[in-house]
Amino acid sequence: MQKSKKILVTGGAGYIGAYVNKLLQLEGYDTVVLDNLYSGERNSVHKGFFIEGDFGDEFLMNQIFSDHRIDGVMHFAAYTSVGESYLNPMKYYANNVSNTISLLNTMIKNGVNHFVFSSSAAVFGIPLVCPIKESAVMMPINPYGETKKIIEKILRDYRTAYGLSSSSLRYFNAAGGDPAEEIIAKRTHVHNLIPIAFRSILNNTPLTIYGTDYETNDGTCIRDYIHVHDIATAHILALEQIFENPGCTDYNLGIGKGFSVKEVIDVVEKVTGHVVPYQIGPRRQGDPPILIAGSEKAQKNLGWNPLYTDLESMVAHTWNTTVREELFSELSG
Ligand SMILES: NC(=O)c1ccc[n+]([C@@H]2O[C@H](COP(=O)([O-])OP(=O)(O)OC[C@H]3O[C@@H](n4cnc5c(N)ncnc54)[C@H](O)[C@@H]3O)[C@@H](O)[C@H]2O)c1
């Protein structure tokens, strides 16, 4: 009988990694989950072998690769706040770039040659054309996006020089939660609009809508939201693709349509039954009016088809998997 493949999931206690770990296990993979619990939550990891530690710790990584027969790495661990990356780029380049280079080098030394990378729509900056295809020029406008672009470039060079196979998945705005409601988390570190709207409700503090004078239907920015379940299925398909056909690829992941900030707030109010307090602020520098993914490449090459394309499901799954009471007491305390 063929032995199941073992995948190292860095950042597997985080929002997206925890759900991908669950799906990997359901699909018959063995997993080793590594997370330093900076923003991840230990009780989000229900299956797999959990190690609390830092992926930048070369000694620890060597130990993991020699103790476990790892076939591939899914790399979610990173710092993820665009705003913080402007204020403290050193922190972002150290974790998202230096630590990732150290991880890649340790993988290569240990003969681990398959890598799926959590990239981001932030690599594109302000797009010239929407929907954004993989061929669009990458011009990040913040240090966070720059860190992702740098790693993508390194992955191309490492393919040529060392034969490392990789797939960079550029998600647009991740949304939703475990549809089976098994992974429940506080998500105090999540920087996306939907959990921010929840915080506004739970803490009764207004969220700020940055700009209502964009050339969109209601004047607010439009974003493409992608459910974590669909991110997870894309990860598994991308992993299988590089196992079967070694190479270096990239995919943009979104549903191909966008929702405005106001539309998201309306759906949050409808799903939760609570009013979202908000205030209007000026435009934020570097916020593109519309970001929509062109995901035809993933559909064609991976056979990927997003299951959840309605905002109601994404909001409901996020709401039902967020620890509301603790979030309230933490934020108000
Ligand atoms: N959430 C989104 O909308 C979105 C969009 C595009 C890309 N991404 C990328 O997807 C990945 C996962 O994002 P997320 O939303 O789940 O964020 P998250 O903060 O919930 O998860 C990141 C995890 O990595 C861990 N971590 C960070 N640095 C570490 C280190 N040095 N060693 C070990 N663990 C470490 C954190 O504790 C956390 O559990 C990130 O790489 C992020 O840049 C996210």
Side-chain angles (χ1 to χ4, degrees), residues 108-169:
I108 289 163
K109 281 185 209 145
N110 285 275
V112 181
N113 288 317
H114 299 93
F115 188 76
V116 181
F117 176 54
S118 295
S119 187
S120 166
V123 297
F124 293 111
I126 300 180
L128 302 173
V129 182
C130 250
I132 308 171
K133 293 187 179 171
E134 288 75 4
S135 54
V137 57
M138 288 198 264
M139 285 190 298
I141 50 164
N142 50 61
Y144 167 73
E146 197 65 54
T147 67
K148 299 290 182 183
K149 183 184 164 190
I150 291 169
I151 295 301
E152 287 201 24
K153 163 73 175 132
I154 290 171
L155 290 174
R156 286 190 292 278
D157 293 342
Y158 276 31
R159 170 69 193 151
T160 313
Y162 313 118
L164 178 79
S165 272
S166 66
S167 197
S168 294
L169 304 184

Side-chain angles (χ1 to χ4, degrees), residues 264-330:
V264 173
I265 289 174
D266 286 348
V267 173
V268 168
E269 291 187 338
K270 188 174 148 203
V271 167
T272 65
H274 295 281
V275 172
V276 176
Y278 69 80
Q279 61 193 10
I280 308 290
R283 288 183 181 201
R284 253 185 328 196
Q285 199 195 357
D287 249 352
I290 303 179
L291 280 181
I292 292 178
S295 299
E296 290 78 9
K297 184 177 167 190
Q299 288 168 23
K300 190 166 162 273
N301 294 9
L302 298 176
W304 175 73
N305 265 312
L307 183 63
Y308 297 104
T309 54
D310 63 303
L311 198 53
E312 277 82 0
S313 297
M314 300 197 211
V315 171
H317 293 163
T318 322
W319 182 244
N320 295 340
T321 56
T322 300
V323 179
R324 290 172 221 158
E325 299 77 14
E326 291 194 38
L327 184 64
F328 177 76
S329 59
E330 252 176 39

Side-chain angles (χ1 to χ4, degrees), residues 26-102:
L26 288 173
E27 293 289 318
Y29 288 92
D30 277 345
T31 58
V32 173
V33 174
L34 173 73
D35 202 298
N36 65 1
L37 304 182
Y38 167 80
S39 54
E41 296 168 44
R42 173 65 185 92
N43 58 9
S44 292
V45 186
H46 297 188
K47 296 240 167 92
F49 186 89
F50 180 75
I51 300 167
E52 184 175 342
D54 197 304
F55 76 89
D57 178 344
E58 203 181 321
F59 181 80
L60 172 68
M61 298 315 294
N62 266 312
Q63 201 175 357
I64 293 174
F65 289 122
S66 65
D67 289 353
H68 302 269
R69 192 192 47 79
I70 302 290
D71 297 289
V73 176
M74 285 193 180
H75 184 44
F76 297 94
Y79 295 140
T80 62
S81 162
V82 167
E84 189 189 41
S85 80
Y86 277 115
L87 300 172
N88 193 355
M90 202 187 278
K91 174 175 174 179
Y92 278 70
Y93 286 110
N95 198 34
N96 297 8
V97 178
S98 301
N99 285 347
T100 301
I101 294 173
S102 164

